[in-house]
Amino acid sequence: MKISIAGTGYVGLTSGVCFAAIGNEVCCYDIDEDKIQTLKQGRIPIYEPGLKELLEKNKVKFTTDVKEAIDFGDVIFIGVGTPSRADGSVNLDYVDAVAEAIGKNIQSYKVIVNKSTVPVGTAERVSNIIKKHYNGEFDVVSNPEFLREGCAVNDFLKPDRVVLGCSSEKAKNIMLETYKNMPEGCMMVTDPKSSELIKYASNTFLAFCISYVNGLVQKYPNKDVNELTKYFKEKLNKKGFFSVGIGYGGSCFPKDVREFASFCGKQNNNSEVFKEIIDINEKQKLIFLDKIEKGTVALLGLAFKPNTDDVREAPSLAMAKELLKKGCKVKACDPAATEEAKKVVSDIEYCNNAYETVKDADAVILVTEWDEFKELDLEKVKNLMKGNLFFDGKNVFDKLEEFEYYDVGRGSIKFTDEEKEQEVKAFLNRCKDFADNIKDVCSGVGANAEEVLKGMMLDGRIGRNMFP
Ligand code: UGA
């Protein structure tokens, strides 16, 4: 197929290069001249392992000319940013602008595809905008992306699921052709509204799992919640998002949970469960800070997770801001994200590596579990530091005797077998509440609840066991 993609951020660019890799002809469009120039030179403006190599092997056209991009594709993907507004709702200005450009330039039947994360009803909204300028035939499809930063190429090429929300047979067949070379059994075709909901509900549910276990850490500070989560994984899903730590960050979970909460609130839905996810996470990011009053603090890691340069809503920055407020000196390093962090917080002393960062520090906080931090020479770290406090935000190390060492949720009191079983049951009850919420939302907006839950369960990290 001939495909055009509007937006060359994480979503648009990764999708564009991967669509070329599975046999399509691809044209990527962006308004940002610098970005397009960089891409034309074969350089990648984002940090995403494997993407550059894939671009070298596959031909992709890049342009800033919107008309050229719209003429090129039989299928046009919208992969532009959808930032949050102050009230948590989503700002669709960029999506609207692309829809308008399509409406003004389209001359024959095309399939327009929403790939950006957008609220329920956006397929209809895009369709209405196009109709204002064009009265020929076209279809709008919802095809949410499920790519994790850092392993987006692999997630695209070997997905658990590809969800297509189509309202016509014609669009469905074209979309199946576009995804022709994907692994067997991953395609799910549904209606646009259910497809739009699957994306929000999946991300919100994964964030819910993380906050659920972090909430247990907050509730039982002296208990071994970390061991309990191993039981959760064993009983429910090995790939489940049950790792305790300093909370989730990134450009997706925080924004999507807020937007979904705001959306559900407007539907008069009980959005308490969503508020709780956010509250626990905000608290969790600062879990160590009551033990640090003054001095120099070394942050190992700035990115919201390893293998990315993304610092959006990263726990590191929330910690840094709070520490600076307390009057601490903050030093930090990251293998990839330093330049991004510098754009957001300038009062940090940015260092080139971990040893430079920990030098003369009173406390060290391991924030991001990059491999190079896991392999640190801890004797050297101890000798370089002035103080002795070591906070392990991702439970990377076993208890470190040489430091005054704090981890997350590995208290000395073990849960008994009976207690573990009770905790799993309590979690499953909350999952049931979550599913009931989804059902309410679906009936409010005319989406199909069964399809939404099915789409969620196709995610290997969610699976069937959590919604028995
Ligand atoms: C997430 C989803 O995983 C993707 O499926 C989705 O497509 C993407 O958002 C999106 O909406 O575009 P991403 O934000 O790249 O992907 O990263 P994840 O690997 O999901 O991690 C998110 C956060 O959760 C990180 O801060 C991570 O450290 C944290 N996390 C993850 C935990 O704290 N505990 C866990 O058990 C798992």
Side-chain angles (χ1 to χ4, degrees):
M1 299 296 300
K2 290 188 86 176
I3 295 177
S4 297
I5 306 208
T8 55
Y10 284 97
V11 176
L13 186 59
T14 311
S15 304
V17 176
C18 290
F19 272 127
I22 60 166
N24 297 290
E25 273 182 68
V26 178
C27 170
C28 287
Y29 156 79
D30 205 293
I31 43 169
D32 186 332
E33 290 270 0
D34 290 346
K35 238 189 205 176
I36 292 298
Q37 276 315 317
T38 306
L39 287 161
K40 278 185 174 169
Q41 291 157 13
R43 290 184 291 128
I44 300 277
I46 53 169
Y47 181 96
E48 188 57 53
L51 197 56
K52 188 172 184 299
E53 293 74 7
L54 206 60
L55 180 60
E56 277 162 13
K57 285 193 217 137
N58 294 282
K59 206 170 142 268
V60 176
K61 194 177 159 70
F62 294 102
T63 183
T64 50
D65 181 341
V66 74
K67 187 169 177 342
E68 185 188 356
I70 292 165
D71 285 347
F72 182 92
D74 299 316
V75 182
I76 303 174
F77 283 85
I78 304 180
V80 293
T82 50
S84 278
R85 294 190 194 280
D87 66 351
S89 67
V90 60
N91 175 350
L92 287 173
D93 289 354
Y94 301 118
V95 172
D96 291 353
V98 176
E100 192 177 325
I102 294 172
K104 286 183 175 164
N105 290 287
I106 182 172
Q107 279 168 1
S108 57
Y109 177 84
K110 289 181 193 288
V111 179
I112 323 302
V113 189
N114 278 336
K115 206 158 210 1
S116 306
T117 301
V118 289
V120 184
T122 305
E124 215 174 311
R125 177 186 176 114
V126 165
S127 181
N128 289 336
I129 295 174
I130 296 172
K131 274 185 200 154
K132 275 192 205 155
H133 307 277
Y134 174 69
N135 56 17
E137 194 198 354
F138 69 95
D139 275 305
V140 180
V141 165
S142 156
N143 170 218
E145 61 89 15
F146 301 110
L147 310 176
R148 285 164 301 165
E149 285 178 25
C151 41
V153 170
N154 190 61
D155 282 354
F156 189 100
L157 299 173
K158 293 186 195 134
D160 287 344
R161 62 188 156 166
V162 173
V163 177
L164 302 175
C166 305
S167 42
S168 85
E169 269 305 292
K170 188 171 176 181
K172 175 184 132 181
N173 292 333
I174 291 176
M175 289 308 290
L176 289 175
E177 185 65 25
T178 308
Y179 278 103
K180 195 168 154 193
N181 297 330
M182 295 311 261
E184 283 270 318
C186 66
M187 303 305 296
M188 173 179 174
V189 181
T190 183
D191 62 280
K193 282 183 178 166
S194 303
S195 167
E196 288 164 340
L197 260 174
I198 288 169
K199 169 66 194 243
Y200 273 108
S202 299
N203 271 3
T204 305
F205 184 76
L206 290 168
F208 159 76
C209 292
I210 300 170
S211 273
Y212 191 88
V213 290
N214 282 336
L216 293 179
V217 172
Q218 293 172 13
K219 186 170 164 196
Y220 306 118
N222 300 320
K223 288 191 143 187
D224 195 345
V225 177
N226 191 60
E227 199 209 43
L228 174 69
T229 64
K230 288 184 188 147
Y231 189 72
F232 271 50
K233 286 190 184 176
E234 209 177 285
K235 277 268 159 171
L236 300 167
N237 186 344
K238 281 195 180 62
K239 292 192 206 156
F241 267 23
F242 296 127
S243 300
V244 292
I246 42 171
Y248 62 79
S251 63
C252 306
F253 285 179
K255 179 168 94 73
D256 291 355
V257 177
R258 273 196 307 268
E259 281 165 12
F260 200 47
S262 152
F263 177 77
C264 293
K266 283 180 199 154
Q267 302 292 314
N268 288 330
N269 184 278
N270 171 13
S271 50
E272 275 314 301
V273 58
F274 308 122
K275 289 209 191 86
E276 203 176 280
I277 301 172
I278 299 169
D279 291 346
I280 290 172
N281 199 56
E282 289 308 304
K283 203 167 155 198
Q284 196 69 5
K285 288 188 211 166
L286 308 178
I287 191 167
F288 294 135
L289 298 202
D290 59 347
K291 298 190 182 68
I292 306 172
E293 279 317 317
K294 53 184 176 352
T296 300
V297 182
L299 302 182
L300 299 181
L302 290 157
F304 80 96
K305 66 172 191 177
N307 299 319
T308 179
D309 61 351
D310 201 337
V311 297
R312 284 177 282 179
E313 309 224 18
S316 63
L317 299 187
M319 279 181 206
K321 283 180 191 158
E322 206 52 37
L323 287 164
L324 290 166
K325 235 193 258 168
K326 284 184 178 217
C328 295
K329 177 177 172 187
V330 180
K331 295 174 79 182
C333 67
D334 190 281
T338 308
E339 291 311 312
E340 289 303 312
K342 277 182 188 167
K343 293 180 194 164
V344 195
V345 184
S346 56
D347 300 341
I348 295 175
E349 184 184 327
Y350 292 100
C351 303
N352 292 315
N353 59 51
Y355 300 112
E356 206 180 285
T357 314
V358 301
K359 191 169 181 310
D360 297 329
D362 296 284
V364 168
I365 309 180
L366 190 139
V367 185
T368 318
E369 65 277 36
W370 284 94
D371 281 346
E372 66 183 78
F373 298 148
K374 292 180 186 167
E375 287 149 14
L376 277 178
D377 177 346
L378 294 165
E379 199 48 45
K380 190 168 166 187
V381 170
K382 188 169 161 37
N383 291 335
L384 284 166
M385 283 175 69
K386 194 163 77 191
N388 193 30
L389 279 168
F390 196 111
F391 299 96
D392 185 351
K394 291 286 177 174
N395 292 347
V396 159
F397 299 106
D398 287 332
K399 299 231 174 302
L400 298 176
E401 301 299 341
E402 60 271 50
F403 295 93
E404 186 181 332
Y405 173 81
Y406 296 92
D407 52 22
V408 186
R410 292 194 295 194
S412 56
I413 305 170
K414 301 277 180 204
F415 285 85
T416 64
D417 289 349
E418 202 179 311
E419 282 169 342
K420 282 183 190 168
E421 204 44 55
Q422 277 166 7
E423 291 298 339
V424 169
K425 274 199 191 127
F427 171 74
L428 287 175
N429 278 334
R430 295 296 278 157
C431 290
K432 195 180 164 301
D433 292 345
F434 194 99
D436 287 344
N437 260 301
I438 298 288
K439 287 176 193 159
D440 273 1
V441 177
C442 287
S443 71
V445 297
N448 182 329
E450 243 174 68
E451 292 276 290
V452 173
L453 288 167
K454 180 177 144 203
M456 290 171 71
M457 289 187 290
L458 285 176
D459 185 329
R461 301 161 299 174
I462 300 176
R464 296 213 147 263
N465 288 351
M466 302 197 203
F467 298 116

